[in-house]
Amino acid sequence: MSKLTGWWKNRSSAAKVELYTRWSFHFFMVIQAFAVLVGLAPQGGGTVTAALVLPLAAQVALCGLLSSRSLDWALGRRERPLPLAVALVALTAAISVTAMALRSTGTITHENVAPALVINTMAFSSGALTLMLDKVRHMLLPAPIGAVGVACMALATGQPALDSFGFAVGFLIVSLLLTFTCGFSRWLLKTVYELDHARELQAQLAVAEERLRFGRDLHDVMGRNLAVIALKSELAVQLARRERPEAVDQMIEVQRIARESQREVRDVVRGYREADLAVELEGARGVLSAAGMDCRVELEARGRTLPGEVQSALGWVVREATTNVLRHGDARSCLIRLTVPEGSGPVTLLVENDGAPDAPAGPPGSGLAGLRERLAAVGGTLLAGPAGGGLFRLRAEVPGPEMRRVEARA
């Protein structure tokens, strides 16, 4: 069953919206073909019907192809399909003029066949043309321009003025409806992809900001000390050239500053690598809530203090799990539960979110492997994977006796 539904569940939210939109326009082709058949039905069989079927089928296919290529252009995947648009306009105009001319000459005997063909073919063409326009004021042009064109073609082929006006009004109503539908669908699809791209950029900016913070910390620690080392080294060189004994004292001072700088760099790196569990839990709640998810953080503690190494390891689990929820799946809710029992019971961290595919879309990443290494250092374990029903569950557990060994090492 997962293979049958994976083609949908393994897609991102934006890809799901795109798939739905594309199949909606494919369904428009079915509706258009059905409308053409209904329009030709009163005429019955015969030479006229047979002669119109082939160009009408080509026109339906062109509408569908132009819609698909226009969506690709709107998403930046190909050039604007101008040749297809020109071909569709020419074919639609030829079909409309032919239908009206056949009605004027009495070849089309039923009076409703020509209006139905003209309105349907031109209205669906205007909807397809709307998809390749990027501004609202441009999207509003096909309907009135087409209405004027319908009226002019009707009058040119000898249709009565009242009938020509009726053609134009009927086309205008149907065309405006299709224009609104197609224009809104195009805008929605493009907006969803822009939001998806913005979320990816937000994650990248967060990483870049953290790197800048780490770089500033290193600069603050090393900048002054390196300047002092350079100055004292230069002074020691000058004293050594003069064979002054103070040069040794200066080099001893350089050695002391270098060792102090080394210790300060270790402190900066240690602080960067360690994660505060309380800060990570609150940060996860804020980030996921800001992303529009219903995030619940539950803390079940029994007055027991966790060692620093255990807190750091679990804090990294929370950080990595939050990143996975944001980047993968289509989560609407997330539960983070930390259980710290009394005595020597194991500490458990559970992160569960919905909107996850039943089967992973690709090979496991390096993030979970890194978490397992961090937890292994404190004797902990990590289990992660689909839990059925669209849920993804991550469970980290650190046993009690191992924590006592961690406290002993500290």
Side-chain angles (χ1 to χ4, degrees), residues 13-364:
S13 298
K16 289 178 181 177
V17 174
E18 180 184 357
L19 184 63
Y20 169 78
T21 304
R22 288 187 180 276
W23 278 103
S24 296
F25 285 112
H26 293 335
F27 185 66
F28 272 12
M29 295 174 60
V30 177
I31 297 176
Q32 184 180 359
F34 180 76
V36 168
L37 292 176
V38 172
L40 285 174
Q43 183 66 22
T47 306
V48 174
T49 302
L52 289 175
V53 166
L54 185 59
L56 286 171
Q59 196 266 349
V60 171
L62 267 179
C63 281
L65 184 59
L66 179 61
S67 299
S68 179
R69 296 293 177 85
S70 297
L71 289 178
D72 289 338
W73 167 75
L75 298 176
R77 299 172 183 170
R78 63 170 67 242
E79 297 294 329
R80 182 181 292 187
L82 291 177
L84 281 177
V86 173
L88 178 62
V89 170
L91 181 58
T92 303
I95 292 174
S96 301
V97 171
T98 302
M100 291 181 185
L102 293 176
R103 185 174 187 263
S104 298
T105 58
T107 306
I108 293 181
T109 56
H110 200 283
E111 61 180 8
N112 293 330
V113 171
L117 293 179
V118 171
I119 292 175
N120 287 330
T121 55
M122 293 196 65
F124 278 98
S125 296
S126 66
L129 292 172
T130 301
L131 292 173
M132 58 173 296
L133 302 175
D134 54 355
K135 295 182 179 179
V136 176
R137 64 175 181 270
H138 294 163
M139 294 180 183
L140 296 176
L141 293 178
I145 292 177
V148 174
V150 168
C152 292
M153 283 188 293
L155 292 173
T157 53
Q159 305 296 323
L162 186 59
D163 289 353
S164 301
F165 178 76
F167 286 176
V169 172
F171 164 80
L172 185 62
I173 294 174
V174 179
S175 179
L176 286 175
L177 177 62
L178 289 172
T179 296
F180 173 78
T181 302
C182 295
F184 179 78
S185 299
R186 177 189 180 278
W187 170 83
L188 179 63
L189 179 59
K190 191 173 181 180
T191 301
V192 168
Y193 266 105
E194 288 177 352
L195 291 175
D196 188 66
H197 182 59
R199 186 169 65 175
E200 293 179 0
L201 289 180
Q202 186 179 16
Q204 294 174 7
L205 288 174
V207 174
E209 184 178 358
E210 182 66 14
R211 288 175 177 171
L212 288 175
R213 185 195 68 79
F214 183 65
R216 287 194 300 267
D217 291 346
L218 280 180
H219 179 269
D220 294 340
V221 169
M222 297 298 298
R224 178 183 61 84
N225 290 346
L226 288 176
V228 174
I229 288 174
L231 181 62
K232 287 187 173 294
S233 299
E234 184 178 357
L235 178 59
V237 170
Q238 297 296 331
L239 292 174
R241 287 175 177 174
R242 299 174 186 176
E243 299 182 353
R244 299 282 297 273
E246 292 87 347
V248 177
D249 297 332
Q250 293 296 328
M251 291 308 300
I252 293 175
E253 182 67 12
V254 168
Q255 187 180 35
R256 183 191 66 80
I257 296 174
R259 289 175 177 173
E260 181 180 351
S261 299
Q262 191 177 27
R263 178 185 58 80
E264 291 178 349
V265 169
R266 288 197 191 101
D267 292 339
V268 171
V269 174
R270 186 180 302 111
Y272 178 73
R273 289 180 177 175
E274 292 181 355
D276 188 284
L277 181 57
V279 173
E280 294 299 334
L281 288 173
E282 190 60 32
R285 186 208 307 270
V287 170
L288 295 179
S289 298
M293 302 179 196
D294 179 18
C295 180
R296 291 186 295 123
V297 178
E298 299 178 358
L299 179 60
E300 300 177 1
R302 300 292 186 269
R304 179 176 163 193
T305 302
L306 299 179
E309 294 183 33
V310 175
Q311 289 199 40
S312 177
L314 294 179
W316 273 101
V317 173
V318 174
R319 182 182 298 182
E320 180 67 21
T322 303
T323 302
N324 288 339
V325 172
L326 288 173
R327 289 183 176 178
H328 308 296
D330 187 17
R332 295 180 298 274
S333 63
C334 180
L335 170 64
I336 304 176
R337 180 186 294 126
L338 177 65
T339 304
V340 186
E342 294 181 359
S344 59
V347 177
T348 303
L349 175 66
L350 176 70
V351 182
E352 187 176 270
N353 63 275
D354 62 357
D358 292 334

